[in-house]
Amino acid sequence: MELKKIDNVIVGAGPGGYVCAIKMAQLGKKVLLIEKEKLGGVCLNVGCIPSKALINASKIVDKFKFASELGFSINYDEKIDMLKLQSWKNKMVNKLTSGIATLLKANKVEVIYGNAYFKDRNHLELTDNNLNKTLIEFENLVIATGSSPIEIPNFKFDEDKILSSTGGLNLSEVPEHIVIIGGGYIGMEIGTFLLKLGSKITIIEATSNILPTSDQELVSIVLRKLKRNKKANILTNTKAKDCIIKNNGVEITIINDKGIEEKVNADKVLVAVGRKPNTKDIGIENLGIELEKGFIKVNKKMQTNISNIYAIGDVVGGYMLAHKASKEGIIAAEVIAGGYKSEFDNYAMPSVIFTDPEIASVGLTEDEAIQKGYKIKVGRFPFAALGKSMAIGETEGFVKIIINEENNLVLGLHIVGYDASSLISEGALAIEMGATAEDMALTIHPHPTLPEAIMEAAEASFGKAIHIVN
Ligand code: NAI
């Protein structure tokens, strides 16, 4: 077997791995990036980007309805050529992946497509796509192999009737009725898009709330809107037991909130009950690194217990978010390059759920702040009181800001509403820079814009918002 020596190897080219590779190369290091499928990983190919493309496309349906309210003579008959939509989405994804290839090349990162199998703390066996094997000797290794959807008993993915998120984002037609097992991030996002395109959706959630890990005050706005839609059926405290595949669909047996079995018939089932780390079949046991519940254990420098082996992204657990993976990739690159005191902390880690309306959070929630012993003030401001929200017909939701009463520092910002995904960055910056409620309230925000709601929420935290009665 051919032997190839290289200083730094990164396995996995998702938003953790490829960002780490570019950063390392920028810092003057030689890097080999190994990827078994496509550059960009799950996020770019079958996750964040395609889902946002489809969710955004489905919002056009609302625009049609709004346009007719405004006097435009536009009718939408709720039929869409899914193949055309998918082909648009796929072209866009291909453009982005080729953009990453260009960036890697420009930064002189060597990329090899193939499967990596770890042999020991300095060697891996690479089987390329032509089945040629090479022994790679490395000084440093970054494992960025990501995660995959969890399967549940009796619902084996076939990506035809029983779908994972991958199948859910590649539908060739809009299902008449889809059962979604798991009312978390993926279930709610794919559910949102299919509902808008005309599907009936039944969400089966095991706990008592959809999006159970999010602030329920924000979730309630999404739930209220869903409940107004007759085609959305949300079943909480409910479990999916098993299913029978039929010619024209699937019969699912559920155990309802009273413990009674019921049958539900649908065209498709989407299973979105969480994701598991990709640590199987890669020789992880040959490295001697510590795992915790299947995830690779790392310190704040993204280093495992074996000092030349690092891990980043979903495979180390915590928030399974692309931007968290990228940040960890940058930290690993800086630590390996040397001369930096980089450490990862997730204090100002924003998260977004692309429901309707969107939910976005950064920093501590009210409950978390209280649990940590802070005395807090909370400022709230509804989008309905904002001129810009009225002008664009997007008045649902509110901004909530959590302030430390002792020193007025911003502890958290939580938004449910139109474009919350973009608005939340102001909160991330505020927390990162140690801003106070006054800093946010005294900053002049352009009028009329949605970020004015953040300024007003900050003013409301000390009882001085202008456009609501305090
Ligand atoms: P999730 O952890 O967000 O939600 C899973 C849901 O399934 C939970 O509500 C859980 O209570 C429920 N559940 C678990 N077992 C069940 C069962 N047997 N029957 C019924 N319900 C059950 O996981 P999801 O949606 O698969 O997403 C995985 C990860 O991907 C998330 O943790 C998130 O970090 C990431 N993601 C992030 C997105 C974003 O940033 N916008 C979008 C999509 C995914």
Side-chain angles (χ1 to χ4, degrees), residues 11 19 48 72 100 171 215 250 275 285-286 291 313 363 374 399 465:
V11 177
V19 169
C48 330
F72 290 90
I100 292 175
L171 291 164
D215 179 340
V250 195
R275 300 181 64 84
E285 59 286 353
N286 300 330
L291 304 184
Y374 289 105
V399 172

Side-chain angles (χ1 to χ4, degrees), residues 48 51-52 147 149-150 152 180-189 204-207 209-213 238-240 271-275 314 318-323 351-354:
C48 330
S51 67
K52 264 78 263 180
S147 65
I150 293 177
I152 52 171
I180 298 176
I181 305 176
Y185 273 64
I186 293 177
M188 295 311 295
E189 289 192 1
I204 312 279
E205 167 56 47
T207 70
N209 295 303
I210 55 160
L211 300 170
T213 55
T238 301
K239 289 205 179 81
V271 181
V273 296
R275 300 181 64 84
D314 284 6
Y319 295 104
M320 287 182 154
L321 301 172
H323 45 275
S351 65
V352 179
I353 313 169
F354 292 83

Side-chain angles (χ1 to χ4, degrees), residues 39 44 91-104:
L39 295 178
L44 214 157
K91 264 190 222 148
M92 184 266 305
V93 165
N94 287 340
K95 221 176 183 170
L96 280 168
T97 46
S98 61
I100 292 175
T102 308
L103 282 174
L104 289 165

Side-chain angles (χ1 to χ4, degrees), residues 24 27 29 140 310 331-342:
M24 237 192 260
L27 296 174
K29 297 283 153 189
N140 296 298
Y310 298 72
I331 286 171
E334 289 175 346
V335 172
I336 290 170
Y340 292 86
K341 289 187 177 159
S342 316

